[in-house]
Amino acid sequence: MGMLLILLCWSMQINAQSPPRASQRSLNGLQEVLSSGSSFIENKGQYGKTMIGHQKMGAILYGYEGLEMPVLFTPKGLIHLHRKSDPLSKAAEERLEKQGVPEAVIERKKNITDKVITMEWAGSNPDVQIETSGRTNDYHSYGMLTEKAFGYKKITYKNIYPGIDVVYTFPNNQKPGFEYSLLVQPGADLSLVKMKYGGDVKTIQTDSRGNLIISSAIDGISITIPVSYYGDRLLNKSTGEINAGYKLSGTEVSFSFPGGYDASKPMVIDPFVSGTGTLTGLNAGKARDVDFDYAGNIYVTGGGSQATAFSLAKYNAAGVLQWTFNGALSVPFWSSNSYYGGWMVEKPSGSVYIGQGFIYPAGFRVIRISTTGLYDNYITTANGNFTEAWKMFWSCNNGTPQILIAGGGINSNINFGVFTPPSTTVTSLNVTGIPYAGTAGGGWAQDIADFVFDPANNDMYSI
């Protein structure tokens, strides 16, 4: 340890405001944020303009990120995305071994399979009017996009069929998923309402309870048996339930009413849409780590809108959610990835530095997210010998702040790094003194997984 000099302003940290106690409001909202489960997020470019191969569904307007992969909303209906990550086959592993790829890299490689299921409101109004309400105060940020993407609590497709509106909302049960309601005016023809499924549909069936299950080769969509009644949902008035179910005809689904119904009365049909899988993102509903700045803001990582990234959320000192960064960039391509790398908050400014746990063979890169939740074009240069970054620590370094990285590499004896913004160069070090002698000769895989510092003498303790 004599080769490494680390100066820390511990007195400044002790005298500054301590991490504020989370309010009950932030605790109640944490589950919601980390599972991205209670808002429809406007598309500012993060989902693309249309779904490749399914352009007939129209422009992507909103997205729901509460399941393992997003559900996208278009003027014609919904697009459900499914993704599966599998280990390599034995044959693929053997091919990589013959190419000299290290075993540690082979073990971490995955086969990614994507599937798409579309749901189109068949024969619906091509000029449907789409309205939103209940805009959230917090917003979402995505990579290079400078616009803030706000969420909404309700989407209404007005007159999608003559005399029929479709309203997407969230129930109060906090289950992952969303609800849609058909608001049917007196005299409207319910036989026109048809949900046509397409894309990578493997099966469409109802279960023993009457719920509708649509499956791809990866995952499925579960839609509860429709709760139907006479009345006005908006006025919270109900004058009697109606026995309703689903009628299947190939890839088309419509509603059936075994006992009939009175078409002269207003009706509401209320199913709930969720996924059939047990996972809802990388760490949905879980706060993996927490940090703070000197202004008393709290930063939380966890959750994740997909299987390859985790999210970052900021709360102010009162516990009010400010924004959520989705954990990925498109230009330059960067993802927080499923290995959950180190990250930290620059205490005076509130800027956040996020690393990648494992990137081979290029090496990890660290990006900076501004205090407003946007990528600010700072990204470190990758080092092919420094491929793992598991923990990061902010040091004021006697007034010249440094960021320390604990990590390692599978092709070197590196286990520690330092960088000083605005420089994008990460200086890599070996603090054990054990030389690298190749994977066979030892000296590699010296990763530092975690570290802490003694405030009395600045000694570093590591695992």
Side-chain angles (χ1 to χ4, degrees), residues 312 323 325 350-352 354 367-371 373-376:
L312 166 71
W323 47 257
F325 170 61
S351 294
V352 183
I354 308 177
I367 65 167
R368 184 171 62 203
I369 302 299
S370 72
T371 189
L374 301 175
Y375 169 62
D376 69 359

Side-chain angles (χ1 to χ4, degrees), residues 269-312:
I269 303 174
D270 253 354
F272 180 81
V273 182
S274 62
T276 59
T278 57
L279 297 177
T280 53
L282 179 62
N283 288 292
K286 299 177 183 177
R288 288 291 304 267
D289 204 355
V290 63
D291 204 351
F292 69 101
D293 62 26
Y294 288 154
N297 299 303
I298 286 288
Y299 302 79
V300 184
T301 55
S305 59
Q306 52 186 317
T308 56
F310 59 84
S311 298
L312 166 71

Side-chain angles (χ1 to χ4, degrees), residues 43-336:
N43 184 19
K44 293 296 185 178
Q46 70 271 23
Y47 307 124
K49 293 182 178 180
T50 58
M51 174 58 61
I52 296 175
H54 303 278
Q55 287 87 345
K56 68 175 185 177
M57 293 295 293
I60 298 171
L61 304 176
Y62 304 93
Y64 170 71
E65 298 183 355
L67 303 177
E68 187 170 1
M69 291 291 286
V71 180
L72 308 177
F73 290 70
T74 78
K76 292 190 175 182
L78 307 178
I79 300 174
H80 297 260
L81 307 181
H82 294 161
R83 172 169 292 174
K84 181 175 68 170
S85 177
D86 289 323
L88 297 181
S89 67
K90 199 67 179 175
E93 289 182 357
E94 291 174 354
R95 283 196 301 269
L96 293 174
E97 287 175 357
K98 291 178 180 178
Q99 296 170 12
V101 177
E103 184 178 348
V105 175
I106 296 175
E107 290 177 352
R108 288 169 171 168
K109 282 187 174 293
K110 304 289 183 182
N111 281 322
I112 303 298
T113 305
D114 288 327
K115 299 293 182 182
V116 175
I117 291 180
T118 60
M119 189 288 288
E120 179 184 358
W121 294 106
S124 62
N125 179 5
D127 299 316
V128 62
Q129 181 183 354
I130 301 175
E131 300 176 352
T132 56
S133 60
R135 196 181 89 162
T136 60
N137 292 322
D138 61 282
Y139 57 86
H140 300 253
S141 63
Y142 297 86
M144 291 293 293
L145 299 177
T146 56
E147 290 189 81
K148 300 172 181 177
F150 286 89
Y152 295 86
K153 296 296 184 181
K154 182 166 72 173
I155 302 176
T156 302
Y157 287 59
K158 300 285 291 183
N159 214 38
I160 194 166
Y161 296 100
I164 300 174
D165 294 347
V166 174
V167 181
Y168 292 96
T169 55
F170 297 97
N172 296 322
N173 58 17
Q174 295 186 348
K175 289 176 58 178
F178 53 88
E179 183 178 74
Y180 72 88
S181 302
L182 293 173
L183 308 186
V184 185
Q185 298 302 314
D189 185 0
L190 271 171
S191 69
L192 297 176
V193 179
K194 291 182 174 63
M195 297 172 284
K196 183 175 180 60
Y197 287 89
D200 300 310
V201 174
K202 185 177 180 181
T203 59
I204 301 178
Q205 59 191 358
T206 54
D207 64 15
S208 59
R209 297 183 178 180
N211 301 317
L212 180 64
I213 308 296
I214 305 98
S215 301
S216 70
I218 294 176
D219 206 341
I221 306 160
S222 174
I223 306 176
T224 63
I225 188 169
V227 176
S228 305
Y229 53 90
Y230 297 114
D232 191 324
R233 185 180 187 278
L234 299 180
L235 297 178
N236 199 26
K237 290 183 178 180
S238 173
T239 58
E241 292 189 6
I242 308 167
N243 184 16
Y246 296 108
K247 181 171 131 180
L248 279 58
S249 176
T251 58
E252 279 194 354
V253 178
S254 56
F255 295 98
S256 66
F257 301 91
Y261 66 92
D262 186 347
S264 67
K265 296 180 180 180
M267 290 175 53
V268 179
I269 303 174
D270 253 354
F272 180 81
V273 182
S274 62
T276 59
T278 57
L279 297 177
T280 53
L282 179 62
N283 288 292
K286 299 177 183 177
R288 288 291 304 267
D289 204 355
V290 63
D291 204 351
F292 69 101
D293 62 26
Y294 288 154
N297 299 303
I298 286 288
Y299 302 79
V300 184
T301 55
S305 59
Q306 52 186 317
T308 56
F310 59 84
S311 298
L312 166 71
K314 176 185 177 181
Y315 294 83
N316 67 15
V320 178
L321 178 65
Q322 303 298 292
W323 47 257
T324 304
F325 170 61
N326 81 320
L329 308 177
S330 54
V331 181
F333 177 77
W334 183 96
S335 172
S336 53

